[in-house]
Amino acid sequence: CFTRYTTMYGATVAIQGKMHNISLYVRAYFVQPNARWNVIRYLLASHFIFYWSLKRRMFDWKNPQYPQDPGTFKDICHDVLIPKGVLIPIEALALQTYKGNKHKLLFSWS
């Protein structure tokens, strides 16, 4: 169990570092603030969705560490992504109805 934890911790720290590197790259190569935000916000949305999906899987597997239901994909869109300004409602709706890999769709938008 501890090995699983340390592996996951290492992976999340690596993801955080890569997010930081990408944001610096975007800052260096995109002059307009709106262009920067439109690239980064889809990456942030993918980041939120990734961690939500981990919680969802752990809850579905009846893991006692995750007794609280993280909700549906619609819930994360309306409770987190839209209020934080990461997605607008029409984008959230498009993601909800999309049957493929949501991360790839977000990356294609950025």
Side-chain angles (χ1 to χ4, degrees):
C1 185
F2 183 72
T3 304
R4 226 179 327 161
Y5 168 78
T6 56
T7 302
M8 185 62 156
Y9 178 78
T12 57
V13 168
I15 290 170
Q16 180 181 351
K18 288 176 184 8
M19 292 273 294
H20 182 74
N21 289 343
I22 290 169
S23 66
L24 291 174
Y25 176 82
V26 167
R27 183 176 181 188
Y29 289 98
F30 289 90
V31 179
Q32 296 175 336
N34 283 343
R36 291 178 187 164
W37 175 239
N38 282 329
V39 172
I40 292 297
R41 69 188 184 99
Y42 295 127
L43 185 61
L44 289 171
S46 181
H47 193 71
F48 278 114
I49 292 167
F50 171 73
Y51 285 107
W52 168 82
S53 68
L54 291 178
K55 289 180 184 177
R56 177 86 249 166
R57 287 180 191 166
M58 295 302 282
F59 179 79
D60 290 344
W61 292 340
K62 308 291 187 229
N63 188 319
Q65 292 178 334
Y66 295 91
Q68 185 176 359
D69 188 347
T72 64
F73 187 78
K74 184 178 181 179
D75 294 335
I76 189 176
C77 287
H78 291 286
D79 296 342
V80 179
L81 300 176
I82 294 172
K84 290 187 180 292
V86 177
L87 292 179
I88 60 175
I90 196 162
E91 293 168 338
L93 182 61
L95 275 175
Q96 289 171 36
T97 58
Y98 186 67
K99 299 296 182 198
N101 186 318
K102 293 177 186 347
H103 304 287
K104 289 183 181 179
L105 181 62
L106 286 164
F107 293 147
S108 73
W109 290 349
S110 66

